[in-house]
Amino acid sequence: MSVKHLEHIGIAVKDLDVAIPLWEKLLGVKCYNIEEVAEQKVKTAFLRIGEVKIELLQSTSDDGPIAKFIEKKGEGVQHVAFASTNIEEELVRCDAEGIRLIDSKPRNGAEGLSIAFLHPKSTLGVLTELCEKKTK
Ligand code: ZN
């Protein structure tokens, strides 16, 4: 089992210019990184509390996954992400346990992480992300 701890909570927002100051006020810490992940059509902003981060996600395109999520469900918690020390092994394990994968192979996420999503249809509606610090 290579899952170690909650890494971050992903929150879909319409406008980072509104969401960042709100979360800074709420948590009393400053956003320390803003990063665009072009392949996911998303701009991300991060705040950190201890080991756990808040990832604010704003879509950069009307047809991106975050835009579609907000259209269906409105703004709010979009996914939870767990830190893994071996994401590939974890994907094989989840697959063997009958959990449907969105990504069978890790891809590049923000913050220098390799990431992969599990399908919410097989996780009782919770979009779950596994992430691993890229060292290779
Ligand atoms: Zn995430």
Side-chain angles (χ1 to χ4, degrees), residues 60-112:
T60 54
S61 154
D62 286 345
D63 65 349
I66 294 301
K68 285 182 192 158
F69 177 89
I70 290 176
E71 203 181 287
K72 252 202 252 171
K73 299 188 172 170
E75 291 177 291
V77 174
Q78 197 252 351
H79 67 272
V80 292
F82 295 96
S84 164
T85 50
N86 189 336
I87 198 171
E88 271 154 27
E89 185 187 285
E90 207 54 42
L91 287 172
V92 170
R93 193 187 65 81
C94 287
D95 189 43
E97 295 283 3
I99 296 166
R100 212 167 123 196
L101 311 178
I102 291 178
D103 302 301
S104 53
K105 286 213 165 90
R107 54 188 159 100
N108 294 330
E111 297 259 282

